[in-house]
Amino acid sequence: MKDILTGFEVYEVPEYCRDWVVEEVVTKAPTFEGSGNWHWRKFIIMHNLSNKNISKVIKVLRSHGINGIFATTTPTSLTWKLEDLLNELIREDEYFRRLREEKQRMSSFYLDIGKS
């Protein structure tokens, strides 16, 4: 990801940070050592990016086949433990996936006859 997202600061968050408060993770990210490849899901958490740059990051990563759960920090999420935030992001992702699946399933039940 670092090679793909030139111009952005990209950090891997190692597993030993899972019990840290997100604000501490964000602050200390430049000092981390170790792999961020420890969770069964992939997360891309963006901090202090403009809406334009958030869209750019998501578009660039998806165009390279990198999918995961995309999120931005909020004043509230910065006070949570990282593990709690990741669990909440998983719950939200599953909820929205079910909504999309239901919408697709329901759209197949409608017939647009139109006017002749």
Side-chain angles (χ1 to χ4, degrees):
M1 256 195 296
K2 289 180 183 182
D3 294 336
I4 296 169
L5 292 173
T6 56
F8 292 97
E9 296 176 25
V10 178
Y11 305 102
E12 289 189 57
V13 179
E15 186 173 12
Y16 63 82
C17 299
R18 71 188 316 151
D19 290 326
W20 293 16
V21 172
V22 174
E23 186 170 29
E24 184 179 14
V25 172
V26 168
T27 302
K28 294 182 178 180
T31 67
F32 292 158
E33 295 181 15
S35 172
N37 194 19
W38 54 272
H39 202 282
W40 64 279
R41 296 291 302 264
K42 299 298 172 219
F43 301 90
I44 297 88
I45 300 175
M46 297 165 273
H47 179 69
N48 279 344
L49 292 182
S50 67
N51 286 340
K52 181 180 176 182
N53 281 335
I54 291 168
S55 295
K56 182 178 178 181
V57 166
I58 293 170
K59 183 178 180 180
V60 167
L61 291 177
R62 285 186 174 158
S63 73
H64 283 84
I66 297 173
N67 291 306
I69 296 175
F70 294 91
T72 60
T73 57
T74 66
T76 300
S77 70
L78 288 170
T79 67
W80 292 14
K81 284 186 178 182
L82 178 61
E83 184 74 16
D84 294 339
L85 175 61
L86 299 182
N87 287 333
E88 178 62 19
L89 293 173
I90 290 168
R91 280 191 294 276
E92 289 176 4
D93 183 63
E94 290 170 352
Y95 171 78
F96 286 113
R97 284 179 191 268
R98 282 192 304 272
L99 278 181
R100 283 190 301 271
E101 289 169 2
E102 184 66 18
K103 184 178 177 182
Q104 288 175 346
R105 189 178 68 77
M106 293 302 291
S107 68
S108 65
F109 290 120
Y110 296 100
L111 177 62
D112 183 7
I113 299 171
K115 293 185 178 182
S116 304

